[in-house]
Amino acid sequence: GSNNNNNAMIQESSRLLVPDPSGAPFGGMALAMSRAIGDSDAKVVGLISEPEVDVWDLNHYHKQQQSSPEQIEDSEWFAVVASDGMYDVIPPEEVANLLGQSLYSDENVVSPLEACEQLIRKATLMWMNMAGAYRDDISLGVSR
C-alpha cells in the first residue's frame, strides 16, 4: 500500500529514520533527513554533514563554447541553491532557465521571487502526484 511506497521513496532518497520508541511506523518518526550541513555531531546517527557542491569553471565553459571576447563580456551569471526535493522532480536546466529569465529577460515576465514560488509549487505538485502524502523538503534560492 501507501506505506510501502513511502518506505521505497525514503530508502531511495537516503533518508535516515529514527522511529518512535514505541515502534509506531511513520506516525512516530522523529527524524527524516540525510544531511545536516555543518552538523558533524549528527554523523553518529548516519547524517552527512558535507553538502554536495558542483563548481562550474567559467573559463573552461567559454573555451568549450569558443566564445568571442564580446560574448564573454555580455555573459550574465547567477547562482542557484536548491535542495534535492527540487532537483529530484525538476531538471536543473529547467530551474536555471526560469530563474535566468526572471533575472535577465527584457520582458521581465516574472520576478525572481515569483519564479522561485512557481518552481516550488510545481515541485510540490509533482511530489504529490508521485508520492502521495510524502514530500521531500523543497528549498530554492537564487543570487546574481
Side-chain angles (χ1 to χ4, degrees):
S2 106
N3 268 351
N4 289 340
N5 290 342
N6 285 344
N7 285 336
M9 286 291 301
I10 291 169
Q11 287 170 354
E12 286 177 22
S13 63
S14 73
R15 296 305 185 270
L16 172 73
L17 300 180
V18 179
D20 185 286
S22 70
F26 291 111
M29 199 167 24
L31 179 65
M33 61 182 172
S34 63
R35 284 180 180 71
I37 296 174
D39 188 356
S40 56
D41 292 336
K43 191 175 187 177
V44 297
V45 294
L47 293 178
I48 300 167
S49 62
E50 295 297 320
E52 291 179 21
V53 177
D54 290 326
V55 177
W56 211 40
D57 184 332
L58 299 179
N59 292 323
H60 178 73
Y61 170 80
H62 284 302
K63 283 181 186 175
Q64 276 187 317
Q65 299 298 313
Q66 299 178 343
S67 301
S68 71
E70 293 80 23
Q71 289 171 317
I72 293 171
E73 183 67 30
D74 290 342
S75 295
E76 301 283 3
W77 300 101
F78 59 98
V80 176
V81 177
S83 66
D84 61 341
M86 174 66 64
Y87 288 140
D88 284 349
V89 294
I90 300 178
E93 295 80 12
E94 184 177 338
V95 173
N97 285 337
L98 182 58
L99 292 174
Q101 289 172 8
S102 75
L103 290 166
Y104 298 111
S105 174
D106 292 333
E107 290 86 41
N108 263 342
V109 178
V110 295
S111 72
L113 176 61
E114 291 168 325
C116 286
E117 290 173 344
Q118 284 178 14
L119 288 162
I120 290 168
R121 279 194 298 276
K122 180 177 181 176
T124 299
L125 290 172
M126 293 178 79
W127 273 103
M128 288 173 61
N129 290 332
M130 185 173 67
Y134 175 79
R135 186 194 93 176
D136 199 357
D137 64 305
I138 301 170
S139 301
L140 179 62
V142 62
S143 178
R144 280 195 236 207

